[in-house]
Amino acid sequence: MQEDVRGVVERLFRAAEAADIRAALACFAENGVLIDPHYPNPEMRGRAEIEKGLVWGLSVMKQFGFRIARVFEGADGRSAAFEVDTNHVLKGGQKLSFPQVFVVDVKDGLIVSMRAYEPYGPNGIGGFFLGLERLKRRVFR
């Protein structure tokens, strides 16, 4: 019997927390896609690119930490959204705690697509003007 989407994602998170790149890569299909804005290459296609991303992540991270808070499973049984309480520790000791959502699609028990979404505001010019508006509201309450 094939592993369901939740089982594959839980296995991936445990592998990342154990710094086991081989086990983490085994969760992805050969042509799987990982999209995560935290990485230097935010769109990694295929196991080779995902491996490079994981190697980089482990080079800056002392400890990954993922706790699944809620799962919203797709009607197809092959997709789900995971609300995750993320608690990482950088190599310098700084703790990073933030919520995020992963949207995952699996096929034949392997991840074919995983997209991370964080609750950060927009960047670039949009973020600049939003920051100005927030500052204005704080100053002129």
Side-chain angles (χ1 to χ4, degrees):
M1 182 173 183
Q2 288 181 12
E3 191 172 20
D4 67 358
V5 63
R6 183 179 185 134
V8 175
V9 170
E10 287 176 345
R11 188 163 46 93
L12 171 64
F13 288 163
R14 298 304 77 83
E17 290 170 342
D20 188 340
I21 292 175
R22 228 180 249 291
L25 284 175
C27 297
F28 286 90
E30 189 63 40
N31 61 346
V33 177
L34 173 59
I35 299 172
D36 191 328
H38 291 120
Y39 288 81
N41 177 13
E43 187 170 319
M44 297 162 270
R45 295 188 167 276
R47 282 188 183 155
E49 286 186 14
I50 294 169
E51 181 177 16
K52 287 178 186 176
L54 292 174
V55 167
W56 174 84
L58 289 171
S59 77
V60 298
M61 203 66 64
K62 179 179 180 182
Q63 179 67 54
F64 282 109
F66 300 98
R67 187 184 70 76
I68 297 173
R70 295 192 291 173
V71 179
F72 303 91
E73 294 185 34
D76 61 5
R78 295 180 40 220
S79 61
F82 295 82
E83 184 179 351
V84 176
D85 293 325
T86 304
N87 295 286
H88 300 328
V89 180
L90 294 172
K91 288 226 170 149
Q94 181 184 1
K95 294 180 181 181
L96 305 174
S97 297
F98 54 92
Q100 65 182 321
V101 171
F102 293 94
V103 178
V104 181
D105 297 294
V106 298
K107 183 177 180 186
D108 300 326
L110 297 173
I111 297 169
V112 294
S113 176
M114 183 174 201
R115 298 167 305 283
Y117 297 92
E118 287 75 29
Y120 310 142
N123 56 20
I125 195 76
F128 174 76
F129 285 113
L130 181 59
L132 281 178
E133 182 62 27
R134 288 177 178 163
L135 177 61
K136 184 174 83 175
R137 289 178 184 212
R138 279 195 302 258
V139 171
F140 297 108
R141 279 188 190 177

